[in-house]
Amino acid sequence: MTFEEFQRSLTDDTPPASLNPILEGLWYDGKEDWEAAHTIAQSAEGTPAYDRLHAYLHRKEGDTWNANYWYRRAGAATYTGSLSSEWETLVRQYLERG
């Protein structure tokens, strides 16, 4: 799936069946369903990819302290670009991984 196809899928009612859980969380976030995305992030805490998603979601929520905690747990630098740029970076990263 390309990034453009992923973006187009946001007009659908359900995420594409082939998405890995991180991309599914980003899909829900792209649909403005923070709670569904957060539930996915919480489902495998301690796993770097899930912790990285968790960091982004708390940054989006405006909870900088909590976001920084999750960035550290994920072993990732705190993202300093825009939220939309971070979302796109994560989507592209996980689409590349398959």
Side-chain angles (χ1 to χ4, degrees), residues 7 10 12 16 19-20 28 46 51-52 54 64 67 71 85 88-89:
Q7 283 187 301
L10 294 173
D12 298 336
L19 294 183
N20 71 46
Y28 280 112
D51 291 349
R52 180 64 181 83
H54 215 155
T64 304
Y71 283 115
S85 174
E88 181 175 341
T89 297

Side-chain angles (χ1 to χ4, degrees), residues 4-95:
E4 292 72 23
E5 290 168 332
F6 184 87
Q7 283 187 301
R8 281 194 300 273
S9 77
L10 294 173
T11 62
D12 298 336
D13 292 332
T14 58
S18 62
L19 294 183
N20 71 46
I22 301 302
L23 284 168
E24 186 176 344
L26 291 162
W27 186 89
Y28 280 112
D29 180 68
K31 297 280 284 184
E32 301 300 324
D33 190 344
W34 189 93
E35 288 297 331
H38 190 249
T39 296
I40 291 169
Q42 288 182 309
S43 72
E45 288 179 2
T47 305
Y50 288 78
D51 291 349
R52 180 64 181 83
L53 173 61
H54 215 155
Y56 159 75
L57 291 169
H58 281 292
R59 181 173 176 249
K60 183 174 185 179
E61 181 187 37
D63 187 347
T64 304
W65 182 91
N66 204 2
N68 288 334
Y69 168 80
W70 289 107
Y71 283 115
R72 285 191 306 277
R73 291 261 323 240
T78 300
Y79 198 89
T80 58
S82 70
L83 287 168
S84 61
S85 174
E86 185 173 13
W87 181 87
E88 181 175 341
T89 297
L90 290 171
V91 170
R92 288 183 184 278
Q93 177 182 343
Y94 287 100
L95 284 172

